Amino acid sequence: QLVESGGGSVQAGGSLKLSCLVPRDTWRRFPNLCLAWFRQTPGQEREGVAAIFSGGPYTYYADWVKGRFTMSQDADKNTLYLQMNSLKPEDTAMYYCASDSVGENDCYSGSWSARTFHNWGQGTQVTVS
């Protein structure tokens, strides 16, 4: 079970940093682990925000967050992060982290969807006004 935290309410232009605690055994058991952030608004499907391959330096970003959001990982702490800057009202959503075994190239290229991932957190709400 992944556990997200760090959501909240901010004004447009503000920043938030989300965290996602990944179970240590998940990180250890699956060498080909793609770790991703998604977001979802009511009535909409979950959309991918960013993804990183376990232990890899490269990160995928959706076009609409490039330059504003930064995803990182700390393997020692089994934690993913999503630093969100220059937030806009349209960034308001429930944010989820997810993990699954996905090939490295597919992970970096964004060749996945919410259906690809089977391990999810409960989500953390981000509201931008």
Side-chain angles (χ1 to χ4, degrees):
Q1 179 72 22
L2 309 176
V3 181
E4 303 96 336
S5 61
S9 297
V10 295
Q11 292 188 338
S15 299
L16 282 174
K17 187 173 185 177
L18 307 183
S19 299
C20 173
L21 184 63
V22 180
R24 184 177 294 273
D25 61 343
T26 298
W27 215 305
R28 185 179 301 157
R29 286 167 51 198
F30 298 101
N32 297 330
L33 199 63
C34 187
L35 304 150
W37 286 97
F38 286 81
R39 69 185 189 184
Q40 187 174 28
T41 54
Q44 301 297 317
E45 293 189 357
R46 290 184 187 183
E47 58 180 353
V49 177
I52 193 167
F53 196 73
S54 57
Y58 303 111
T59 309
Y60 163 85
Y61 294 103
D63 287 341
W64 34 267
V65 301
K66 287 181 180 177
R68 298 192 299 127
F69 292 8
T70 303
M71 182 177 184
S72 59
Q73 60 180 328
D74 186 333
D76 291 338
K77 296 182 179 179
N78 301 332
T79 302
L80 299 174
Y81 301 99
L82 185 67
Q83 176 67 48
M84 304 187 295
N85 299 326
S86 302
L87 283 163
K88 304 175 182 180
E90 51 264 43
D91 293 319
T92 295
M94 185 72 79
Y95 283 73
Y96 299 88
C97 62
S99 69
D100 216 311
S101 295
V102 176
E104 185 173 2
N105 288 337
D106 286 345
C107 187
Y108 290 147
S109 67
S111 299
W112 39 262
S113 68
R115 292 186 179 87
T116 306
F117 293 84
H118 297 90
N119 303 300
W120 293 88
Q122 81 289 349
T124 186
Q125 178 68 38
V126 171
T127 302
V128 185
S129 59

